[in-house]
Amino acid sequence: MRMGSRFSHTLFLLACLCITLISAAHATGCSSLKLTGGKKQYSNCTELPSLNSTLHFTYNATNSSLSIAFSAPPPRPDGWIAWAVNPLATGMAGSQALLAFKANGSMVVKTYNISSYSSIVEGKLSFDVWDLEAESDKDGKMTIYGSLKVAAAVGKLNQVWQVGPGMVDGHPKKHDFAKANLAAVGELQLVEKLSPAASSPSPSPSPAQSANSNSGYGLRVSEINAAFRILGLISLLVLV
């Protein structure tokens, strides 16, 4: 009886371990992308593929709005960070940017309508924005918070993000043109598209799609297999 009780207890512990491992695989990457301020909660978060930056966002299809929190470390303590939407193209030219920097020791957010690479001046954007604010943490990482109006029934946006060394006379200094800076563009998928045939294999995501992936939408096969391999090893040890 004691042996049976011990065996049942062992099975229970193994089951708990398996659930824990699978839950860890199923959890989104948001735990590692936690916002320092903790001011708002967002439905999605993603680690962008360049400039050590992250984006939290919530899309509200009812009122066609998007709330975001973009985080990145500037190259210098007095530098700037920016996140933008380009309504017409995929690059920086034509993008509508939210740019944050320190002014007199306090974080501020300004809007820039970037009509061309040679014209980066503060101005009103082509869409409404509100609740703009910014903060920086003890490690120097900056975060931009804000909400913006998007087109009705939009499924995705062209996003651009960037970091720069500082400001001169109210104008942002030019950012580097290193590989990481040039790669700071991609699509932001607002609405998850479901495959019509659930059994059909999914194609490999493009780099832009990978930048917008939310790991909470499904279990990764490799992680599940790893969990069960560990479970199998522990089971063998118990049986021995």
Side-chain angles (χ1 to χ4, degrees):
M1 182 63 119
R2 185 175 300 173
M3 188 62 143
S5 175
R6 180 182 175 186
F7 184 71
S8 298
H9 181 65
T10 302
L11 286 179
F12 173 76
L13 291 176
L14 288 172
C16 290
L17 176 62
C18 185
I19 292 172
T20 300
L21 290 170
I22 293 176
S23 297
H26 183 69
T28 68
C30 292
S31 58
S32 62
L33 308 180
K34 187 176 180 181
L35 293 170
T36 55
K39 295 180 179 180
K40 297 181 180 180
Q41 299 296 321
Y42 296 88
S43 301
N44 307 279
C45 64
T46 181
E47 187 169 2
L48 298 172
S50 66
L51 301 177
N52 194 26
S53 51
T54 61
L55 180 72
H56 290 68
F57 66 96
T58 298
Y59 170 57
N60 188 335
T62 304
N63 61 7
S64 300
S65 68
L66 178 68
S67 297
I68 65 98
F70 169 73
S71 301
R76 294 176 52 182
D78 58 347
W80 55 263
I81 68 169
W83 181 84
V85 169
N86 194 326
L88 303 175
T90 57
M92 187 180 84
S95 62
Q96 310 291 294
L98 306 177
L99 190 144
F101 57 94
K102 284 185 178 179
N104 299 320
S106 299
M107 291 294 300
V108 296
V109 183
K110 302 290 185 179
T111 57
Y112 288 79
N113 187 331
I114 304 175
S115 58
S116 69
Y117 288 98
S118 60
S119 177
I120 304 177
V121 294
E122 183 181 349
K124 187 176 180 180
L125 304 186
S126 63
F127 45 76
D128 292 335
V129 293
W130 61 95
D131 293 340
L132 299 181
E133 57 181 308
E135 66 182 11
S136 62
D137 62 18
K138 58 182 179 61
D139 297 320
K141 178 173 283 191
M142 296 179 178
T143 301
I144 298 172
Y145 298 92
S147 296
L148 54 137
K149 194 74 173 177
V150 297
V154 66
K156 60 185 179 181
L157 297 173
N158 297 320
Q159 64 173 338
V160 184
W161 61 97
Q162 200 53 255
V163 298
M167 306 289 292
V168 176
D169 298 327
H171 299 282
K173 293 181 181 179
K174 287 185 178 180
H175 61 75
D176 290 337
F177 286 85
K179 183 178 179 180
N181 298 88
L182 298 177
V185 296
E187 286 186 350
L188 179 62
Q189 196 76 36
L190 301 181
V191 179
E192 185 72 8
K193 292 184 178 180
L194 299 178
S195 173
S199 59
S200 299
S202 300
S204 299
S206 65
Q209 290 172 325
S210 298
N212 180 46
S213 64
N214 184 339
S215 56
Y217 283 123
L219 296 175
R220 291 193 289 268
V221 174
S222 60
E223 292 171 329
I224 297 176
N225 288 338
F228 279 102
R229 281 198 297 270
I230 294 173
L231 178 60
L233 288 173
I234 296 176
S235 300
L236 288 174
L237 291 174
V238 172
L239 292 175
V240 171

